[in-house]
Short mmCIF file of all heavy atoms in Angstrom, two decimals:
data_model
loop_
_atom_site.label_atom_id
_atom_site.label_comp_id
_atom_site.label_asym_id
_atom_site.label_seq_id
_atom_site.Cartn_x
_atom_site.Cartn_y
_atom_site.Cartn_z
N PRO A 8 -25.35 -16.59 15.42
CA PRO A 8 -24.78 -15.24 15.30
C PRO A 8 -23.57 -15.25 14.36
O PRO A 8 -22.74 -16.15 14.42
CB PRO A 8 -24.37 -14.91 16.73
CG PRO A 8 -25.30 -15.71 17.57
CD PRO A 8 -25.49 -17.00 16.83
N GLY A 9 -23.49 -14.24 13.51
CA GLY A 9 -22.44 -14.17 12.51
C GLY A 9 -22.77 -14.86 11.21
O GLY A 9 -22.04 -14.72 10.22
N GLY A 10 -23.88 -15.59 11.18
CA GLY A 10 -24.29 -16.31 9.99
C GLY A 10 -25.06 -15.44 9.01
O GLY A 10 -25.23 -14.24 9.22
N SER A 11 -25.53 -16.06 7.93
CA SER A 11 -26.23 -15.36 6.86
C SER A 11 -27.53 -16.05 6.48
O SER A 11 -27.67 -17.27 6.65
CB SER A 11 -25.35 -15.28 5.61
OG SER A 11 -24.16 -14.56 5.86
N LEU A 12 -28.47 -15.27 5.97
CA LEU A 12 -29.71 -15.77 5.40
C LEU A 12 -30.05 -14.93 4.18
O LEU A 12 -29.71 -13.76 4.13
CB LEU A 12 -30.87 -15.69 6.39
CG LEU A 12 -30.95 -16.71 7.52
CD1 LEU A 12 -32.11 -16.35 8.45
CD2 LEU A 12 -31.15 -18.11 6.97
N ARG A 13 -30.74 -15.54 3.23
CA ARG A 13 -31.25 -14.81 2.08
C ARG A 13 -32.76 -14.99 2.01
O ARG A 13 -33.26 -16.09 1.77
CB ARG A 13 -30.61 -15.32 0.78
CG ARG A 13 -30.91 -14.42 -0.43
CD ARG A 13 -30.38 -15.03 -1.71
NE ARG A 13 -30.37 -14.06 -2.80
CZ ARG A 13 -30.15 -14.37 -4.07
NH1 ARG A 13 -29.90 -15.63 -4.41
NH2 ARG A 13 -30.17 -13.42 -5.00
N LEU A 14 -33.49 -13.90 2.24
CA LEU A 14 -34.94 -13.92 2.18
C LEU A 14 -35.41 -13.64 0.76
O LEU A 14 -34.77 -12.91 0.02
CB LEU A 14 -35.53 -12.87 3.12
CG LEU A 14 -35.08 -12.92 4.58
CD1 LEU A 14 -35.84 -11.87 5.39
CD2 LEU A 14 -35.28 -14.31 5.18
N SER A 15 -36.55 -14.22 0.40
CA SER A 15 -37.16 -14.00 -0.91
C SER A 15 -38.56 -13.44 -0.75
O SER A 15 -39.27 -13.79 0.20
CB SER A 15 -37.23 -15.31 -1.70
OG SER A 15 -35.95 -15.83 -1.96
N CYS A 16 -38.95 -12.59 -1.67
CA CYS A 16 -40.31 -12.04 -1.73
C CYS A 16 -40.80 -12.21 -3.15
O CYS A 16 -40.30 -11.54 -4.07
CB CYS A 16 -40.29 -10.57 -1.32
SG CYS A 16 -41.86 -9.70 -1.55
N VAL A 17 -41.76 -13.10 -3.35
CA VAL A 17 -42.33 -13.33 -4.67
C VAL A 17 -43.53 -12.41 -4.87
O VAL A 17 -44.47 -12.44 -4.07
CB VAL A 17 -42.72 -14.80 -4.87
CG1 VAL A 17 -43.36 -14.98 -6.25
CG2 VAL A 17 -41.51 -15.70 -4.74
N PHE A 18 -43.49 -11.61 -5.92
CA PHE A 18 -44.50 -10.62 -6.23
C PHE A 18 -45.31 -11.11 -7.41
O PHE A 18 -44.75 -11.47 -8.45
CB PHE A 18 -43.79 -9.30 -6.56
CG PHE A 18 -44.68 -8.13 -6.88
CD1 PHE A 18 -45.15 -7.31 -5.87
CD2 PHE A 18 -45.01 -7.84 -8.19
CE1 PHE A 18 -45.94 -6.21 -6.16
CE2 PHE A 18 -45.81 -6.74 -8.49
CZ PHE A 18 -46.27 -5.93 -7.47
N SER A 19 -46.62 -11.13 -7.28
CA SER A 19 -47.46 -11.64 -8.36
C SER A 19 -48.67 -10.75 -8.59
O SER A 19 -49.03 -9.94 -7.74
CB SER A 19 -47.91 -13.07 -8.08
OG SER A 19 -48.72 -13.13 -6.91
N GLY A 20 -49.30 -10.92 -9.73
CA GLY A 20 -50.48 -10.15 -10.10
C GLY A 20 -50.20 -9.09 -11.16
O GLY A 20 -51.02 -8.88 -12.06
N LEU A 21 -49.06 -8.43 -11.04
CA LEU A 21 -48.62 -7.41 -11.97
C LEU A 21 -47.10 -7.47 -12.09
O LEU A 21 -46.44 -8.04 -11.22
CB LEU A 21 -49.06 -6.01 -11.51
CG LEU A 21 -50.56 -5.74 -11.56
CD1 LEU A 21 -50.88 -4.43 -10.84
CD2 LEU A 21 -51.05 -5.69 -12.99
N PRO A 22 -46.53 -6.89 -13.14
CA PRO A 22 -45.07 -6.97 -13.29
C PRO A 22 -44.33 -6.29 -12.14
O PRO A 22 -44.65 -5.16 -11.76
CB PRO A 22 -44.81 -6.24 -14.61
CG PRO A 22 -46.10 -6.37 -15.37
CD PRO A 22 -47.17 -6.27 -14.32
N LEU A 23 -43.32 -6.96 -11.62
CA LEU A 23 -42.50 -6.39 -10.56
C LEU A 23 -41.85 -5.08 -11.00
O LEU A 23 -41.66 -4.17 -10.19
CB LEU A 23 -41.44 -7.40 -10.14
CG LEU A 23 -40.41 -6.95 -9.10
CD1 LEU A 23 -41.09 -6.53 -7.81
CD2 LEU A 23 -39.39 -8.05 -8.86
N ALA A 24 -41.52 -4.97 -12.27
CA ALA A 24 -40.84 -3.79 -12.79
C ALA A 24 -41.67 -2.52 -12.65
O ALA A 24 -41.12 -1.42 -12.78
CB ALA A 24 -40.47 -4.01 -14.26
N ASP A 25 -42.96 -2.64 -12.38
CA ASP A 25 -43.83 -1.48 -12.25
C ASP A 25 -43.95 -0.96 -10.82
O ASP A 25 -44.67 0.02 -10.59
CB ASP A 25 -45.23 -1.81 -12.76
CG ASP A 25 -45.28 -2.06 -14.26
OD1 ASP A 25 -44.31 -1.70 -14.95
OD2 ASP A 25 -46.29 -2.60 -14.74
N TYR A 26 -43.27 -1.59 -9.86
CA TYR A 26 -43.43 -1.23 -8.45
C TYR A 26 -42.10 -1.13 -7.71
O TYR A 26 -41.11 -1.75 -8.08
CB TYR A 26 -44.30 -2.27 -7.74
CG TYR A 26 -45.71 -2.30 -8.26
CD1 TYR A 26 -46.05 -3.10 -9.33
CD2 TYR A 26 -46.69 -1.49 -7.69
CE1 TYR A 26 -47.34 -3.11 -9.84
CE2 TYR A 26 -47.98 -1.49 -8.19
CZ TYR A 26 -48.30 -2.29 -9.26
OH TYR A 26 -49.58 -2.30 -9.76
N ALA A 27 -42.11 -0.35 -6.64
CA ALA A 27 -41.04 -0.35 -5.66
C ALA A 27 -41.38 -1.37 -4.58
O ALA A 27 -42.54 -1.51 -4.21
CB ALA A 27 -40.86 1.03 -5.04
N ILE A 28 -40.37 -2.08 -4.07
CA ILE A 28 -40.56 -3.09 -3.04
C ILE A 28 -39.63 -2.79 -1.87
O ILE A 28 -38.44 -2.56 -2.08
CB ILE A 28 -40.29 -4.51 -3.56
CG1 ILE A 28 -41.13 -4.82 -4.81
CG2 ILE A 28 -40.56 -5.54 -2.45
CD1 ILE A 28 -42.62 -4.89 -4.56
N ALA A 29 -40.17 -2.83 -0.66
CA ALA A 29 -39.38 -2.57 0.53
C ALA A 29 -39.45 -3.75 1.49
O ALA A 29 -40.42 -4.51 1.51
CB ALA A 29 -39.88 -1.32 1.25
N TRP A 30 -38.39 -3.91 2.28
CA TRP A 30 -38.35 -4.87 3.37
C TRP A 30 -38.49 -4.14 4.70
O TRP A 30 -37.84 -3.11 4.92
CB TRP A 30 -37.04 -5.66 3.38
CG TRP A 30 -36.97 -6.73 2.34
CD1 TRP A 30 -36.36 -6.65 1.12
CD2 TRP A 30 -37.49 -8.06 2.43
NE1 TRP A 30 -36.48 -7.83 0.44
CE2 TRP A 30 -37.17 -8.72 1.22
CE3 TRP A 30 -38.20 -8.75 3.41
CZ2 TRP A 30 -37.54 -10.05 0.97
CZ3 TRP A 30 -38.57 -10.07 3.15
CH2 TRP A 30 -38.24 -10.69 1.95
N PHE A 31 -39.34 -4.67 5.57
CA PHE A 31 -39.53 -4.18 6.92
C PHE A 31 -39.33 -5.34 7.89
O PHE A 31 -39.39 -6.50 7.49
CB PHE A 31 -40.93 -3.60 7.11
CG PHE A 31 -41.20 -2.34 6.33
CD1 PHE A 31 -41.56 -2.41 4.99
CD2 PHE A 31 -41.10 -1.10 6.93
CE1 PHE A 31 -41.82 -1.26 4.26
CE2 PHE A 31 -41.35 0.06 6.21
CZ PHE A 31 -41.71 -0.02 4.89
N ARG A 32 -39.12 -5.01 9.15
CA ARG A 32 -39.07 -6.05 10.17
C ARG A 32 -39.75 -5.56 11.45
O ARG A 32 -39.86 -4.36 11.69
CB ARG A 32 -37.64 -6.48 10.48
CG ARG A 32 -36.80 -5.43 11.20
CD ARG A 32 -35.38 -5.95 11.41
NE ARG A 32 -34.54 -4.97 12.09
CZ ARG A 32 -33.24 -5.13 12.29
NH1 ARG A 32 -32.62 -6.23 11.88
NH2 ARG A 32 -32.55 -4.18 12.91
N GLN A 33 -40.19 -6.53 12.26
CA GLN A 33 -40.80 -6.20 13.53
C GLN A 33 -40.25 -7.13 14.60
O GLN A 33 -40.42 -8.35 14.52
CB GLN A 33 -42.32 -6.32 13.47
CG GLN A 33 -43.01 -5.81 14.72
CD GLN A 33 -44.48 -5.51 14.50
OE1 GLN A 33 -45.07 -5.92 13.52
NE2 GLN A 33 -45.05 -4.78 15.43
N VAL A 34 -39.59 -6.54 15.58
CA VAL A 34 -39.08 -7.27 16.73
C VAL A 34 -40.19 -7.27 17.78
O VAL A 34 -40.92 -6.29 17.91
CB VAL A 34 -37.80 -6.61 17.29
CG1 VAL A 34 -37.33 -7.32 18.54
CG2 VAL A 34 -36.72 -6.62 16.22
N SER A 35 -40.32 -8.36 18.54
CA SER A 35 -41.36 -8.47 19.55
C SER A 35 -41.35 -7.27 20.48
O SER A 35 -40.30 -6.92 21.04
CB SER A 35 -41.18 -9.76 20.36
OG SER A 35 -41.37 -10.90 19.54
N GLY A 36 -42.50 -6.63 20.62
CA GLY A 36 -42.63 -5.49 21.51
C GLY A 36 -42.13 -4.18 20.95
O GLY A 36 -42.16 -3.17 21.65
N LYS A 37 -41.66 -4.17 19.69
CA LYS A 37 -41.12 -2.96 19.08
C LYS A 37 -41.95 -2.54 17.86
O LYS A 37 -42.74 -3.31 17.32
CB LYS A 37 -39.68 -3.18 18.64
CG LYS A 37 -38.75 -3.68 19.73
CD LYS A 37 -38.55 -2.65 20.82
CE LYS A 37 -37.56 -3.14 21.86
NZ LYS A 37 -37.38 -2.16 22.95
N GLU A 38 -41.76 -1.30 17.44
CA GLU A 38 -42.45 -0.78 16.26
C GLU A 38 -41.85 -1.38 14.99
O GLU A 38 -40.68 -1.74 14.94
CB GLU A 38 -42.34 0.74 16.21
CG GLU A 38 -43.05 1.47 17.33
CD GLU A 38 -44.55 1.37 17.22
OE1 GLU A 38 -45.07 1.35 16.09
OE2 GLU A 38 -45.21 1.31 18.27
N ARG A 39 -42.65 -1.47 13.95
CA ARG A 39 -42.20 -1.93 12.65
C ARG A 39 -41.13 -0.99 12.11
O ARG A 39 -41.26 0.23 12.19
CB ARG A 39 -43.39 -2.00 11.69
CG ARG A 39 -43.09 -2.55 10.31
CD ARG A 39 -44.38 -2.81 9.57
NE ARG A 39 -45.28 -1.66 9.65
CZ ARG A 39 -46.57 -1.70 9.33
NH1 ARG A 39 -47.12 -2.81 8.90
NH2 ARG A 39 -47.30 -0.60 9.44
N GLU A 40 -40.06 -1.55 11.56
CA GLU A 40 -38.89 -0.79 11.13
C GLU A 40 -38.57 -1.07 9.67
O GLU A 40 -38.47 -2.23 9.26
CB GLU A 40 -37.68 -1.17 12.00
CG GLU A 40 -36.37 -0.54 11.57
CD GLU A 40 -35.19 -1.10 12.33
OE1 GLU A 40 -35.23 -2.29 12.71
OE2 GLU A 40 -34.23 -0.35 12.58
N GLY A 41 -38.41 -0.02 8.88
CA GLY A 41 -38.00 -0.18 7.50
C GLY A 41 -36.53 -0.56 7.41
O GLY A 41 -35.71 -0.08 8.19
N ILE A 42 -36.19 -1.41 6.43
CA ILE A 42 -34.82 -1.87 6.25
C ILE A 42 -34.22 -1.30 4.97
O ILE A 42 -33.21 -0.60 5.01
CB ILE A 42 -34.74 -3.41 6.21
CG1 ILE A 42 -35.27 -3.99 7.53
CG2 ILE A 42 -33.32 -3.87 5.94
CD1 ILE A 42 -35.46 -5.49 7.49
N ALA A 43 -34.83 -1.60 3.84
CA ALA A 43 -34.31 -1.16 2.55
C ALA A 43 -35.42 -1.22 1.52
O ALA A 43 -36.41 -1.94 1.70
CB ALA A 43 -33.14 -2.03 2.11
N CYS A 44 -35.24 -0.49 0.43
CA CYS A 44 -36.23 -0.45 -0.64
C CYS A 44 -35.53 -0.48 -1.98
O CYS A 44 -34.46 0.11 -2.12
CB CYS A 44 -37.10 0.81 -0.51
SG CYS A 44 -38.47 0.91 -1.69
N ILE A 45 -36.13 -1.16 -2.95
CA ILE A 45 -35.60 -1.18 -4.30
C ILE A 45 -36.63 -0.58 -5.25
O ILE A 45 -37.81 -0.94 -5.22
CB ILE A 45 -35.18 -2.61 -4.73
CG1 ILE A 45 -34.44 -2.58 -6.06
CG2 ILE A 45 -36.37 -3.56 -4.76
CD1 ILE A 45 -33.60 -3.83 -6.30
N ARG A 46 -36.19 0.38 -6.06
CA ARG A 46 -37.07 1.12 -6.94
C ARG A 46 -37.36 0.36 -8.24
O ARG A 46 -36.73 -0.65 -8.54
CB ARG A 46 -36.47 2.49 -7.26
CG ARG A 46 -36.22 3.35 -6.03
CD ARG A 46 -35.64 4.70 -6.40
NE ARG A 46 -35.40 5.52 -5.22
CZ ARG A 46 -34.27 5.51 -4.52
NH1 ARG A 46 -33.27 4.73 -4.88
NH2 ARG A 46 -34.14 6.29 -3.45
N LYS A 47 -38.30 0.86 -9.01
CA LYS A 47 -38.63 0.27 -10.30
C LYS A 47 -37.39 0.15 -11.18
O LYS A 47 -37.23 -0.83 -11.91
CB LYS A 47 -39.68 1.11 -11.03
CG LYS A 47 -40.99 1.29 -10.27
CD LYS A 47 -41.86 2.32 -10.97
CE LYS A 47 -43.10 2.63 -10.16
NZ LYS A 47 -43.92 3.68 -10.80
N SER A 48 -36.52 1.15 -11.09
CA SER A 48 -35.31 1.20 -11.91
C SER A 48 -34.27 0.18 -11.47
O SER A 48 -33.32 -0.10 -12.22
CB SER A 48 -34.70 2.59 -11.84
OG SER A 48 -34.24 2.87 -10.52
N GLY A 49 -34.40 -0.36 -10.25
CA GLY A 49 -33.40 -1.25 -9.70
C GLY A 49 -32.45 -0.58 -8.73
O GLY A 49 -31.65 -1.26 -8.08
N SER A 50 -32.50 0.74 -8.63
CA SER A 50 -31.69 1.43 -7.64
C SER A 50 -32.26 1.17 -6.24
O SER A 50 -33.45 0.88 -6.09
CB SER A 50 -31.62 2.93 -7.92
OG SER A 50 -32.89 3.54 -7.77
N VAL A 51 -31.42 1.29 -5.21
CA VAL A 51 -31.82 0.95 -3.86
C VAL A 51 -31.60 2.11 -2.91
O VAL A 51 -30.79 3.00 -3.15
CB VAL A 51 -31.08 -0.30 -3.34
CG1 VAL A 51 -31.30 -1.47 -4.27
CG2 VAL A 51 -29.59 -0.01 -3.19
N THR A 52 -32.34 2.09 -1.80
CA THR A 52 -32.17 3.07 -0.74
C THR A 52 -32.29 2.36 0.60
O THR A 52 -33.14 1.49 0.78
CB THR A 52 -33.19 4.21 -0.86
OG1 THR A 52 -32.89 5.21 0.12
CG2 THR A 52 -34.61 3.73 -0.63
#
């Protein structure tokens, strides 16, 4: 607790610049939850 991790997502098949990518998570027994998304432009939500 209080520590840090950096997750990576390698995207292949087509250029990453052509897609938006989002991170989701699922806790045991809970619904899948969206975390954040990065757009083609590099802006985030």
Side-chain angles (χ1 to χ4, degrees):
S11 298
L12 284 175
R13 191 186 193 191
L14 306 184
S15 298
C16 172
V17 178
F18 181 88
S19 63
L21 291 170
L23 176 60
D25 292 345
Y26 295 88
I28 306 293
W30 284 98
F31 293 82
R32 69 182 179 186
Q33 188 162 15
V34 177
S35 295
K37 306 293 183 182
E38 295 290 326
R39 183 169 48 194
E40 175 188 32
I42 300 170
C44 185
I45 188 161
R46 301 181 180 88
K47 301 171 187 178
S48 66
S50 66
V51 304
T52 186

